[in-house]
Amino acid sequence: IGYNDPNSYYSDALNIHILPNRTTSLKDKLKLFQEGFRSIAKIVDSNEKIKKIVGDSWIALEHPGVVKKLGFSAEKSFKDEFKRIFIDKNKKKSEIVSMGREEFLEKYLI
């Protein structure tokens, strides 16, 4: 997760993308996600401009229960055209998910 990259931020959102990893067990992936999100929570906490965390990932399509367990939900505010362009450009199916700042901090800031 490139959260130190200034390009990860746009407007009031921090944008994350998790690449596929077929060699790590789902249990270990969940642990890694939670550890990574705890690191990101420190950044979100220190940057009041960030109002939501947005992600696009294959995980949302293949494992919607995992995404829900992590606290994210499908992003309804993005236009279908954006989704179509994103999927066509990258030749991969993906879903856009998000979580509000306060919810993210409550869940991951330790």
Side-chain angles (χ1 to χ4, degrees):
I1 301 171
Y3 52 83
N4 288 326
D5 181 350
N7 294 322
S8 295
Y9 304 87
Y10 69 94
S11 68
D12 64 347
L14 181 137
N15 189 15
I16 58 175
H17 177 73
I18 299 172
L19 297 172
N21 175 342
R22 306 279 184 217
T23 60
T24 304
S25 72
L26 187 55
K27 181 181 177 181
D28 288 342
K29 285 178 193 176
L30 281 173
K31 183 179 175 187
L32 291 169
F33 294 157
Q34 291 171 342
E35 289 172 3
F37 291 157
R38 286 185 191 115
S39 295
I40 292 171
K42 292 175 187 173
I43 293 168
V44 172
D45 189 45
S46 68
N47 186 338
E48 302 228 356
K49 293 179 186 177
I50 301 170
K51 301 297 181 199
K52 69 179 175 176
I53 293 71
V54 178
D56 60 80
S57 183
W58 57 276
I59 299 168
L61 292 176
E62 290 185 23
H63 304 286
V66 169
V67 172
K68 189 173 185 175
K69 182 176 181 173
L70 291 169
F72 289 87
S73 58
E75 178 65 58
K76 303 291 184 202
S77 65
F78 284 91
K79 295 181 180 178
D80 288 336
E81 181 68 11
F82 175 82
K83 286 185 180 182
R84 185 188 64 74
I85 290 169
F86 179 82
I87 292 168
D88 290 349
K89 179 181 175 189
N90 293 290
K91 307 285 189 234
K92 295 178 184 173
K93 292 188 177 182
S94 182
E95 183 65 54
I96 297 170
V97 296
S98 68
M99 186 185 315
R101 170 191 179 82
E102 296 307 318
E103 184 182 0
F104 188 82
L105 291 175
E106 184 177 312
K107 190 165 183 75
Y108 294 107
L109 188 63
I110 294 177

